[in-house]
Amino acid sequence: MDDLRFPIGQFATVEPVDAEQRAHWMEEIERLPEQLCEAVAGLSDEQLDTPYRAGGWTVRQVVHHLADSHMNSYIRFKLAVTEELPTIKPYYEDRWAELSDGAHAPIELSLTLLKALHARWVYFIKSLRPEQFECAFIHPEHGRAMKLNDALGMYAWHGRHHVAHIMGLRSRNGW
């Protein structure tokens, strides 16, 4: 049986990362809001409040999580470019998903936020010089530097990963 936690597989780094690969990931990040809107189109509140897998988040929580996570990522990118190897602030994404806005707010709030956030994020990353993708931040939970080259790939994967959660649920339930 497929692992419903990782419907597209786990993230794997790519070496080396060249301009073509970065452009591909930027396009994926740019397209995510539209793909997410398509993935949730026409879902009822009952469907939005259905977990994508047993013990997993609801579709609603996944949508809000994407907004939370990608806001943090945008800030991490800017910190990495403007500071020397900053240590970023992690957050408890599971606890955020349980807060009222993550568990109950209308998804339109996060869909609208993601459209604007991704437009701004993509504008920013497309302005970076190739050497700036070598800038990095420290994630205290991992204890190592993460270059923007790797973070770009990880967040492109992250969007596809969660859209696949929703699309898999829709397919399994015949929605």
Side-chain angles (χ1 to χ4, degrees), residues 25-156:
W25 287 333
M26 287 179 206
E27 288 172 14
E28 290 184 334
I29 289 170
E30 189 169 28
R31 287 194 314 263
L32 174 69
E34 180 182 331
Q35 292 170 336
L36 185 60
C37 285
E38 291 171 4
V40 298
L43 294 180
S44 68
D45 278 334
E46 181 180 348
Q47 291 167 325
L48 290 171
D49 292 329
T50 302
Y52 74 89
R53 68 173 174 85
W57 287 337
T58 67
V59 172
R60 184 182 311 276
Q61 287 173 307
V62 168
V63 171
H64 294 312
H65 162 70
L66 279 165
D68 292 341
S69 174
H70 291 197
M71 281 189 292
N72 275 283
S73 179
Y74 174 57
I75 291 167
R76 291 168 181 178
F77 270 65
K78 293 187 88 166
L79 287 169
V81 171
T82 61
E83 298 179 18
E84 184 66 34
L85 203 57
T87 299
I88 57 94
K89 172 84 170 82
Y91 70 102
Y92 294 103
E93 58 187 37
D94 55 334
R95 294 179 189 176
W96 284 37
E98 294 298 326
L99 295 172
S100 64
D101 62 328
H104 306 293
I107 61 168
E108 290 74 23
L109 297 174
S110 285
L111 294 174
T112 300
L113 177 59
L114 280 164
K115 287 176 190 173
L117 173 63
H118 276 238
R120 176 99 183 258
W121 189 12
V122 169
Y123 185 92
F124 173 68
I125 57 180
K126 284 184 175 180
S127 76
L128 297 178
R129 297 181 310 278
E131 64 271 15
Q132 288 178 298
F133 286 96
E134 295 298 314
C135 294
F137 56 82
I138 302 281
H139 194 301
E141 291 174 354
H142 305 146
R144 63 175 176 76
M146 177 177 264
K147 291 181 181 180
L148 293 187
N149 267 329
D150 295 327
L152 185 66
M154 185 179 71
Y155 281 97

